[in-house]
Amino acid sequence: MASHLLRCLLVAVGALPYVLSSAPILQPTPPMGYNNWAALMCGLNESVFVETALSMVKFGLLDAGYNRINLDDCWSTMERASNGSMEWDTKKFPRGLPWLTSYLKELGFIPGIYTDAGNLSCGGYPGAFGYEALDAQTFADWGFEFVKLDGCNMPTGTEEEYKSVYGRWHDVLQEIRKETQNPMIFSESAPAYFAESANLTDWYKVMNWVPKFGQLARHSRDSLVFNSTLYWPDITGWDSIMFNYGQQVRLARYQRPGYFNDPDFLNVDHFDYTLDEKKSHFALWSSFSAPLIISAWVPGLNSTEVAYLGNTDIIAVDQDPLALQATLVSQDGTWDVLTKDLANGDRLLTILNRGNSTASHNVSFARIGLPALPAVRVKDLWTGESTHASKEVTAHDIPSHGTAIFRISAPKGSCASTPTGMIFNTYSLTTLTASSKGLIWANSTAADVQVWQARSDGTVRTLAHSSDCLTDLGGGKLGLSRCSRRVAQKWDYTYSGNLISRSSKLCLTEADNEALTLSACLDQANSQVVALPGGVKIVGY
């Protein structure tokens, strides 16, 4: 999701030509760095950023790739200057923001700043509505190269209004880039304001346009702030991670070099996490190639926290040039299994234990998307140890709320994976299931009848019935029938989340009582937006 840019425009499980864009890729891999909000909220000042920067250098976090330092809300005065421009709070920043950006750049960091698309920021400070060009130029003149645009206090709050305002920001930032060579990376918070609606159509619509305007978009709730019990007394730290994780897995189709789905900060020192939960937070976000933005009191991080944040093997997964988001192979309430391809031909396997006790878990090569390989090399990215495996990979003794993460290599060359995993409705979260009574939508159980292969010939089939293909039977009906290369067994997956029959041009649909049908394709309808395994080619970006 980026400025319609990028390497190749995915195409649906078929052989449509790739489409290339002439626009430059401003952010080819997800940003890494620091933001003060979750740790300090409005308690920011000059010394916070100076001490944070020095600690990040001291701890090796800058060398590890955490090279952005972003100011969040509450940095300004409560009113604009007489000429309409924004002013920094001189009590918080006595030497000024131009001094701070210069100082951070001398250390090797890239500075970023916060503003809000509405009339007021979320903290009650001046918003940028109607001042987009002036504020963008002001930020650039002060030396900032990253803008986070929040979405509080919009005049009407409609999806159309958000699109118009965020589009204006895209345009003014683009002008600054042309005139100054300042990349002005654009972080958009618009999707978060639609993510928990009873009807997700507007969330999907916003997610469709944010990649065209910016380089990353925060799609759901904030990570918990340091005093979260005052705001969300019934939400635990693990609940917060799992909520944003659950939103992220719905959105993989949008991500590619130049645009990244943002599940929000790594609030490393929050009081309500176990160490295993903190490490899962980092491993899952890295598996997603999500932004890795630390929001903690960095000078106070302990050696264990610094060590896992600096894990070079896991950071390499996050920063992989393909920028793919890991997608779900299976879920059963205890185990989540995710995979993705890596640029050198390796395959990532991530296994999350959502259960309440330590346990081990096996994943077959077929589920990993490697049915043809007799053996593989498996590197545990936590320990750095490598082993060999045949037929399946075993994660031993994963603690409760812990995550195992493996890099899998073929004996020779590329793993040459087949996209394999769940097909699920991103509204209801029910999973396409080849039951004994026919095809239905059902709760996830991780059975083979819910794990699908999306092959390069456009066919879709389950691991349980690998010789039978998902088939358009006509009249809005679907079934599994012997694969025969018929057009009725060819499917296209679109950027808007539709799985479309090539023969009837109808869309896979969840009807009443979890029934599966084909029906006329609608615009971002809850009943028709589905997630497919990563690596499936996507039409329409």
Side-chain angles (χ1 to χ4, degrees):
M1 316 215 220
S3 2
H4 4 198
L5 15 91
L6 107 103
R7 68 171 199 254
C8 61
L9 209 88
L10 303 181
V11 204
V13 187
L16 300 183
Y18 282 179
V19 179
L20 302 178
S21 168
S22 60
I25 298 178
L26 299 174
Q27 186 72 47
T29 59
M32 299 171 60
Y34 169 83
N35 179 293
N36 64 277
W37 184 255
L40 299 167
M41 300 179 73
C42 286
L44 74 175
N45 57 47
E46 179 182 289
S47 65
V48 164
F49 296 99
V50 171
E51 291 183 50
T52 292
L54 292 174
S55 295
M56 291 175 76
V57 173
K58 175 184 175 182
F59 293 155
L61 293 173
L62 174 61
D63 289 342
Y66 296 90
N67 64 352
R68 295 189 177 275
I69 292 187
N70 299 333
L71 285 65
D72 213 280
D73 200 358
C74 314
W75 57 264
S76 74
T77 56
M78 296 300 295
E79 302 289 341
R80 290 179 175 269
S82 58
N83 66 356
S85 64
M86 292 290 285
E87 294 184 304
W88 62 81
D89 184 331
T90 57
K91 292 182 179 179
K92 293 179 179 178
F93 299 95
R95 286 180 280 193
L97 293 185
W99 176 87
L100 181 60
T101 61
S102 178
Y103 176 81
L104 293 174
K105 289 178 181 180
E106 288 175 4
L107 292 177
F109 293 97
I110 304 169
I113 197 166
Y114 166 104
T115 190
D116 191 278
N119 291 308
L120 293 173
S121 76
C122 299
Y125 291 77
F129 189 81
Y131 294 91
E132 292 84 4
L134 174 61
D135 287 357
Q137 188 61 58
T138 298
F139 298 154
D141 291 344
W142 289 348
F144 291 101
E145 299 181 16
F146 180 109
V147 177
K148 173 184 172 180
L149 186 66
D150 215 334
C152 284
N153 299 306
M154 295 286 280
T156 66
T158 63
E159 179 270 328
E160 294 82 3
E161 181 182 63
Y162 274 86
K163 183 177 181 179
S164 173
V165 173
Y166 277 74
R168 284 204 298 273
W169 271 95
H170 167 268
D171 293 345
V172 299
L173 293 175
Q174 191 69 0
E175 286 302 311
I176 290 171
R177 294 177 189 125
K178 291 178 183 177
E179 295 174 4
T180 68
Q181 305 303 307
N182 182 335
M184 293 300 279
I185 300 304
F186 186 25
S187 172
E188 306 167 84
S189 295
Y193 292 86
F194 298 88
E196 296 184 61
S197 301
N199 182 336
L200 291 183
T201 294
D202 281 347
W203 189 47
Y204 298 144
K205 288 181 177 179
V206 176
M207 287 304 308
N208 276 353
W209 53 253
V210 286
K212 300 178 176 71
F213 294 160
Q215 288 69 53
L216 61 156
R218 189 172 62 83
H219 53 66
S220 52
R221 291 179 190 169
D222 288 8
S223 295
L224 291 184
V225 293
F226 72 96
N227 57 351
S228 57
T229 52
L230 297 178
Y231 300 89
W232 305 290
D234 299 323
I235 298 177
T236 68
W238 185 243
D239 290 340
S240 174
I241 293 173
M242 286 294 94
F243 182 86
N244 284 9
Y245 165 88
Q247 301 291 85
Q248 180 89 4
V249 295
R250 309 177 194 215
L251 305 173
R253 65 187 178 277
Y254 296 112
Q255 185 162 298
R256 52 185 55 86
Y259 170 82
F260 301 92
N261 298 320
D262 183 4
D264 211 25
F265 307 133
L266 298 172
N267 47 348
V268 178
D269 59 357
H270 192 274
F271 68 88
D272 200 29
Y273 295 145
T274 67
L275 176 60
D276 290 318
E277 290 169 349
K278 294 178 183 182
K279 292 173 68 176
S280 282
H281 199 177
F282 173 69
L284 293 169
W285 271 219
S286 296
S287 298
F288 291 141
S289 281
L292 299 180
I293 306 297
I294 300 166
S295 193
W297 177 234
V298 173
L301 295 182
N302 63 45
S303 59
T304 301
E305 292 162 341
V306 170
Y308 82 71
L309 289 170
N311 183 309
T312 55
D313 284 333
I314 297 179
I315 289 173
V317 167
D318 181 78
Q319 297 290 301
D320 186 79
L322 289 183
L324 293 174
Q325 179 177 312
T327 56
L328 285 166
V329 175
S330 61
Q331 288 184 311
D332 65 5
T334 298
W335 298 104
D336 282 17
V337 177
L338 304 99
T339 58
K340 73 173 183 179
D341 284 336
L342 299 168
N344 72 337
D346 288 351
R347 187 81 166 152
L348 181 77
L349 172 64
T350 301
I351 304 172
L352 166 64
N353 180 2
R354 300 176 77 149
N356 295 321
S357 59
T358 297
S360 300
H361 192 66
N362 303 323
V363 184
S364 70
F365 283 10
R367 285 180 174 240
I368 298 169
L370 308 176
L373 288 181
V376 296
R377 176 175 173 266
V378 182
K379 184 176 184 180
D380 183 329
L381 301 188
W382 284 123
T383 66
E385 296 178 357
S386 293
T387 58
H388 289 84
S390 59
K391 295 185 180 180
E392 65 183 18
V393 174
T394 301
H396 296 282
D397 300 323
I398 307 176
S400 171
H401 300 175
T403 297
I405 181 168
F406 302 106
R407 188 172 189 129
I408 297 173
S409 305
K412 293 182 180 179
S414 169
C415 283
S417 67
T418 299
T420 303
M422 295 166 58
I423 297 176
F424 65 94
N425 180 324
T426 62
Y427 175 77
S428 68
L429 303 181
T430 55
T431 302
L432 183 61
T433 304
S435 76
S436 58
K437 298 179 181 179
L439 294 173
I440 60 170
W441 297 99
N443 292 331
S444 300
T445 63
D448 281 352
V449 292
Q450 293 185 329
V451 181
W452 298 83
Q453 294 177 332
R455 299 197 180 181
S456 59
D457 62 0
T459 62
V460 178
R461 55 190 87 187
T462 69
L463 292 187
H465 309 285
S466 59
S467 298
D468 295 335
C469 287
L470 184 66
T471 305
D472 181 346
L473 301 175
K477 297 180 179 180
L478 298 96
L480 291 178
S481 59
R482 187 66 60 180
C483 297
S484 60
R485 300 183 181 180
R486 289 177 286 155
V487 69
Q489 295 178 335
K490 308 286 185 176
W491 301 86
D492 288 334
Y493 186 50
T494 69
Y495 179 72
S496 57
N498 297 125
L499 187 61
I500 303 177
S501 165
R502 291 189 192 171
S503 59
S504 67
K505 310 303 181 187
L506 298 177
C507 280
L508 199 72
T509 303
E510 181 173 358
D512 292 340
N513 300 315
E514 299 180 340
L516 179 69
T517 65
L518 284 171
S519 60
C521 297
L522 304 172
D523 183 21
Q524 307 295 314
N526 294 325
S527 60
Q528 294 184 338
V529 179
V530 298
L532 262 67
V536 172
K537 296 177 181 178
I538 302 168
V539 174
Y541 183 76

